[in-house]
Amino acid sequence: MNEHALHGMRVVDVGTSVSGSYCARLLADFGADVVKVEDLSDGGDPIRSDGPPITNRDGAAGDSALFVYLNQNKRSVAVDLQSEQGREIWRRLLFGADVVVDSGETGSLSRQDVSFEQIERANPRSVVVRISPFGQGGPYSGRPACHLTVSALGGLVTSLGDPTREPLDVGFPLLEYVSAVVGAVGAVASWRACRDSGRGRLVDVSQQEVAVRMHMYPTVMATLGLSTKRRTYFPMYIMAQNGWVAVNTLSAQHWKDACVFMGLDEVADDQTMSDPAVRNAAAPALQKRMDAWAADQQREDIFEVGQLLRIPVGIPYTLLEVVEQEHYNERGLFRPLETTGGTVKQPAGPFGSSPIRDDWRDAPGVGEHTTEVVEEWLRDGDRTRVEEG
């Protein structure tokens, strides 16, 4: 018996952005049969060339590291969407899938003039996940966007940093990945509901709306007239002998304990420091004293002692350092994966002890599985009725 959580789910991935690819990869990690369908007339998935290529074992330039990460455990079908035969295979794969994942400003479905209604008519229990900057309706739908503009229009950048200064960019395409997780959850929930109801579902994920949901708590507080300002101030980074240490104080007790820990006893006892304005004014001088205190210490020692004192202390690890961390490796987060560029460590799955697949596979080459997928999927007439609608 196959114990993979999503064994039996057929997924077609036609997305051309991070959010769609990562959404489909999450489904693949849990055992779904995910097929990435690429357009040969357009050079295949554009993410293949997004960033420096990985050098293959034979010395040739391969796909980008981003593509390799986003497309593990998938199969690839390549068709020429400029040809009638290519479009026919593309549509039949869509109509035979349990879940179709699309992403981008307009999406591949819109560019090929295929609607959710057409897919549902051909396969009444199908789920279509569409992840886009602004959703499938509304005045912004289909407009060009990037992570910065969507974060800005979703209010995310103004919820960070100092309100007296310019908005603070997130600095990473966070919404692409969070929206992908939302899409994957929606796909699984809808897949189950469709099997019970016999009706298809459209999962319309707007990255802008995901941004709003991520920081709605302070918005609700402000609506109720409650202050959203932090009650305590503390410089968040200090420089130890061998690198940065992150320190935070989430309560008055944290503040006192951190000051005593760093030899600032008189500051801990200073009642005027309870006023954020006073603390802000004193911050530059305090920063110098804390850096001087940490200058001859190892960041690991500060971290361990701070943790024992129940002070929120952390080390800003580089990603290479993260891969080597004992905590992650003891929990089995990383697993070796053989790729065309060599062996790499990859996160094995988003949850500990989760029913993920054990046959972890490298990202596919362009059209690597075209013949086998077409033979497997298109010979099953019950699941591939082609109806133009």
Side-chain angles (χ1 to χ4, degrees), residues 233-289:
Y233 173 86
F234 202 83
M236 296 184 67
Y237 296 101
I238 55 177
M239 176 57 77
Q241 188 178 60
N242 62 334
W244 292 101
V245 179
V247 184
N248 203 356
T249 58
L250 304 176
S251 67
Q253 189 61 51
H254 282 154
W255 163 257
K256 290 183 178 181
D257 292 343
C259 288
V260 172
F261 176 40
M262 298 185 189
L264 305 173
D265 300 63
E266 81 285 0
V267 177
D269 295 331
D270 188 346
Q271 298 300 317
T272 65
M273 285 291 177
S274 61
D275 184 343
V278 174
R279 200 174 297 178
N280 284 334
L286 289 176
Q287 184 76 63
K288 290 181 180 179
R289 293 182 63 182

Side-chain angles (χ1 to χ4, degrees), residues 37-364:
V37 184
E38 304 182 63
D39 181 9
L40 284 176
S41 66
D42 200 28
D45 188 336
I47 298 179
R48 287 187 182 272
S49 57
D50 187 353
I54 294 176
T55 301
N56 294 333
R57 294 180 189 274
D58 59 4
D63 296 317
S64 70
L66 180 61
F67 180 87
V68 171
Y69 177 72
L70 293 175
N71 291 282
Q72 290 168 27
N73 296 324
K74 301 179 186 179
R75 298 191 285 176
S76 171
V77 168
V79 296
D80 181 358
L81 291 179
Q82 295 297 317
S83 71
E84 185 58 38
Q85 181 185 34
R87 288 193 296 271
E88 175 68 7
I89 293 174
W90 192 80
R91 287 174 178 249
R92 292 188 68 191
L93 289 173
L94 293 178
F95 296 161
D98 297 304
V99 178
V100 175
V101 179
D102 193 14
S103 64
E105 293 167 4
T106 55
S108 297
L109 296 179
S110 294
R111 290 195 297 273
Q112 293 299 318
D113 197 27
V114 175
S115 67
F116 163 69
E117 289 75 18
Q118 285 178 291
I119 296 174
E120 185 186 30
R121 279 196 294 271
N123 185 355
R125 295 185 178 183
S126 60
V127 177
V128 177
V129 180
R130 305 194 69 175
I131 307 174
S132 60
F134 305 114
Q136 298 305 304
Y140 289 172
S141 180
R143 289 191 180 186
C146 66
H147 187 265
L148 173 62
T149 58
V150 176
S151 299
L153 290 166
L156 186 59
V157 298
T158 55
S159 68
L160 303 169
D162 184 347
T164 65
R165 299 183 57 185
E166 69 276 8
L168 184 64
D169 183 19
V170 177
F172 177 78
L174 178 67
L175 292 177
E176 293 274 0
Y177 290 91
V178 178
S179 298
V181 175
V182 172
V185 172
V188 174
S190 297
W191 179 53
R192 179 171 180 175
C194 288
R195 288 188 296 177
D196 294 336
S197 69
R199 296 178 53 201
R201 298 288 180 94
L202 173 63
V203 180
D204 178 6
V205 181
S206 159
Q207 293 175 356
Q208 181 188 27
E209 292 171 6
V210 169
V212 172
R213 288 184 170 92
M214 286 173 59
H215 67 95
M216 183 51 70
Y217 167 65
T219 302
V220 172
M221 289 185 65
T223 302
L224 297 175
L226 302 175
S227 174
T228 59
K229 294 183 179 179
R230 305 185 69 168
R231 296 182 180 277
T232 59
Y233 173 86
F234 202 83
M236 296 184 67
Y237 296 101
I238 55 177
M239 176 57 77
Q241 188 178 60
N242 62 334
W244 292 101
V245 179
V247 184
N248 203 356
T249 58
L250 304 176
S251 67
Q253 189 61 51
H254 282 154
W255 163 257
K256 290 183 178 181
D257 292 343
C259 288
V260 172
F261 176 40
M262 298 185 189
L264 305 173
D265 300 63
E266 81 285 0
V267 177
D269 295 331
D270 188 346
Q271 298 300 317
T272 65
M273 285 291 177
S274 61
D275 184 343
V278 174
R279 200 174 297 178
N280 284 334
L286 289 176
Q287 184 76 63
K288 290 181 180 179
R289 293 182 63 182
M290 288 186 291
D291 285 341
W293 170 82
D296 60 351
Q297 300 187 60
Q298 298 295 301
R299 60 181 188 170
E300 292 77 14
D301 294 334
I302 296 175
F303 168 68
E304 292 295 343
V305 176
Q307 288 286 310
L308 288 173
L309 295 174
R310 311 298 295 177
I311 301 169
V313 180
I315 298 174
Y317 288 128
T318 66
L319 293 180
L320 289 177
E321 290 173 325
V322 165
V323 174
E324 300 302 325
Q325 281 305 299
E326 178 183 0
H327 175 76
Y328 296 124
N329 287 295
E330 186 172 318
R331 285 177 51 81
L333 173 62
F334 296 107
R335 65 189 297 168
L337 175 70
E338 290 297 325
T339 74
T340 56
T343 303
V344 298
K345 282 187 174 181
Q346 285 284 71
F351 310 110
S353 302
S354 57
I356 58 175
R357 66 192 312 142
D358 47 20
D359 56 334
W360 217 252
R361 301 195 305 265
D362 188 16

